[in-house]
Amino acid sequence: MFTVVTPNTDKRMAEIVDKVRQGERLTLEDGVYLYESDDILTIGQLANEVNLRKNGKKVYFIENMSLYFTNVCESHCAFCSFRKDQGEEGAYTLSGEEMVAYVKQHITPGVREFHIVGGHNNHVPFQYYVDSLKAMKENFPDVTIKAYTAAEIEFFTRISGLSTKEVLIRLQEAGLESLTGGGAEILSDQYREKMKVEKANVDQYLDVHRTAHQLGMKTPTTMLYGSIESYEDRIRHMMQIRDLQDETGGFQVFIPLSMQPRNKNASIMRRNSAYEDLKTIAISRLMLDNIQHIKAYFINIGVQLTQVALAFGASDVHGTILKEQISHAAGAQTPEGLTLKELIWLVKGAGRIPVERDTFYNEIRVYE
């Protein structure tokens, strides 16, 4: 039986609690109210109840590697510190053979997924991106390839002249099995204009995932929060994801990404608070009733707060990663990856059951 933590919970919060318990979908107004409320314990406990109903005490992770073939990018998004111009110091574009050599040097025996993203490099043809995946699949046939954001797919349509569906089919033939979730940022064209998001617009982002789902792929999706967006922008973002999930059923996990300050030495006043991070994870769990998992991404919020997030609605802690670069280029102060043992420790330390999974949430091993 659910009882609210704070005895003085107001009528509006009590109504939301009743709606969630009765399986009634939350509205835009409900979501904004939750963000404006300071009753984080009731919000967290309610999200925890929803998660326990969906997933029990199981918390999922995967042994994976993050790979970046190129950091050269035609876009100049205001929040990105990863991108470089062609010829700029630090710019690189690796061939498939070079990436294969890197992976052979760093891969561990349990890795079962490559998470591949990078810049929108218009100095190479679309075939370069196809061949990159082919090289990985030929050399590591048993490792699942989760590659490219929806924004990258939209970029590929422009440099190739192919449709979204044709691009995705070409990539599937090369070994692609799932997209990554990035590129969503905030699904508001007004936000994207202000933040100079020089890549896929809202409709294009959603259409790429819609098309991927129609082709049989399951995908993650994200929200990058903590800059100029309003609470209403965040909730509208979640509702657009929720609507597409009603249509396709193809999203496996929603990943709230806490904005980084572009400087590792930035003041704490330039970073999202732990309070804001936990509230966003919990509200994501409450709003996205049709998505199975909410991820607590330790790269952006830290290991210990990730543990706390498991009591606020999160059921996934991502994976081993090995040398994450994009958030760290933007000022993340967290580890660049964790070992299998550390992930198990993280989950058990929160009183939950660690479950090693594959890309599609099939359980590989339960660590009771």
Side-chain angles (χ1 to χ4, degrees):
M1 180 67 69
F2 180 87
T3 54
V4 295
V5 173
T6 49
N8 296 321
T9 295
D10 61 28
K11 180 181 178 182
R12 186 78 177 85
M13 182 67 80
E15 290 173 349
I16 291 175
V17 170
D18 287 341
K19 287 178 76 170
V20 171
R21 293 188 67 192
Q22 292 169 18
E24 187 176 342
R25 178 162 281 182
L26 297 187
T27 64
L28 172 67
E29 293 75 19
D30 292 332
V32 172
Y33 172 83
L34 291 173
Y35 262 119
E36 292 175 343
S37 170
D38 62 0
D39 191 357
I40 191 172
L41 294 181
T42 296
I43 296 168
Q45 188 180 6
L46 189 58
N48 185 52
E49 181 184 275
V50 171
N51 178 48
L52 290 175
R53 190 162 62 236
K54 283 182 174 288
N55 300 299
K57 289 194 169 185
K58 289 182 175 180
V59 173
Y60 295 81
F61 66 89
I62 189 169
E63 287 201 70
N64 62 348
M65 290 183 72
S66 288
L67 305 177
Y68 311 86
F69 274 85
T70 181
N71 63 353
V72 175
C73 190
E74 66 169 11
S75 301
H76 296 77
C77 302
F79 50 82
C80 183
S81 299
F82 174 75
R83 66 158 313 280
K84 300 286 185 182
D85 289 321
Q86 179 84 337
E88 181 181 352
E89 182 179 357
Y92 68 88
T93 302
L94 301 179
S95 67
E97 292 73 19
E98 288 172 321
M99 184 58 77
V100 166
Y102 170 86
V103 172
K104 286 181 176 179
Q105 183 179 358
H106 294 93
I107 195 169
T108 57
V111 167
R112 62 185 71 255
E113 175 189 281
F114 294 137
H115 183 283
I116 302 172
V117 293
H120 299 188
N121 187 344
N122 56 357
H123 298 277
V124 293
F126 173 55
Q127 190 63 39
Y128 164 81
Y129 296 94
V130 175
D131 291 342
S132 296
L133 298 193
K134 279 184 179 177
M136 300 306 295
K137 201 62 182 176
E138 288 172 359
N139 284 272
F140 309 98
D142 297 327
V143 180
T144 299
I145 294 181
K146 183 170 76 175
Y148 306 136
T149 67
E152 287 174 276
I153 300 300
E154 188 277 329
F155 164 70
F156 296 157
T157 67
R158 288 190 280 110
I159 63 173
S160 68
L162 301 173
S163 69
T164 297
K165 183 176 181 180
E166 289 168 335
V167 164
L168 289 171
I169 289 174
R170 287 277 300 277
L171 293 172
Q172 282 184 306
E173 291 171 348
L176 180 70
E177 294 166 82
S178 175
L179 299 181
T180 68
E185 322 318 353
I186 293 291
L187 293 175
S188 157
D189 285 327
Q190 184 179 28
Y191 166 94
R192 297 169 101 77
E193 182 178 354
K194 288 182 178 179
M195 291 293 287
K196 298 181 180 179
V197 183
E198 299 176 349
K199 52 188 178 183
N201 63 29
V202 173
D203 289 341
Q204 290 167 333
Y205 178 90
L206 294 172
D207 185 63
V208 168
H209 280 276
R210 177 183 292 108
T211 305
H213 298 167
Q214 291 169 345
L215 290 172
M217 281 189 268
K218 299 292 186 180
T219 66
T221 186
T222 61
M223 178 180 75
L224 181 66
Y225 66 92
S227 58
I228 64 170
E229 81 282 355
S230 66
Y231 291 152
E232 183 173 330
D233 288 334
R234 296 182 193 179
I235 298 301
R236 288 190 183 279
H237 177 112
M238 295 178 198
M239 292 176 69
Q240 289 180 86
I241 295 299
R242 190 172 70 182
D243 288 346
L244 182 55
Q245 181 72 344
D246 281 344
E247 178 186 337
T248 68
F251 289 123
Q252 297 188 107
V253 58
F254 181 76
I255 312 166
L257 297 172
S258 186
M259 179 76 82
Q260 302 302 303
R262 302 191 69 178
N263 184 344
K264 290 188 177 183
N265 299 315
S267 162
I268 61 170
M269 294 184 291
R270 296 274 310 282
R271 298 178 182 273
N272 286 325
S273 68
Y275 185 92
E276 189 78 0
D277 289 333
L278 288 176
K279 186 184 280 190
T280 297
I281 286 169
I283 293 172
S284 299
R285 178 66 285 164
L286 296 174
M287 292 298 301
L288 295 166
D289 51 63
N290 56 359
I291 293 181
Q292 190 71 22
H293 299 286
I294 304 297
K295 182 174 292 186
Y297 189 50
F298 71 84
I299 287 292
N300 284 27
I301 67 173
V303 172
Q304 286 152 318
L305 192 62
T306 293
Q307 287 184 302
V308 179
L310 301 182
F312 279 71
S315 58
D316 187 286
V317 292
H318 197 60
T320 49
I321 300 176
L322 298 180
K323 292 194 176 295
E324 192 280 338
Q325 293 182 28
I326 293 178
S327 290
H328 284 86
Q333 296 177 318
T334 55
E336 293 179 341
L338 293 175
T339 66
L340 174 67
K341 288 183 178 179
E342 287 172 330
L343 280 169
I344 294 169
W345 171 88
L346 184 157
V347 175
K348 285 189 173 182
R352 301 291 163 127
I353 301 169
V355 180
E356 186 176 355
R357 62 171 175 85
D358 66 9
T359 301
F360 309 105
Y361 285 85
N362 297 306
E363 296 183 2
I364 304 301
R365 182 177 175 184
V366 179
Y367 295 85
E368 296 285 0

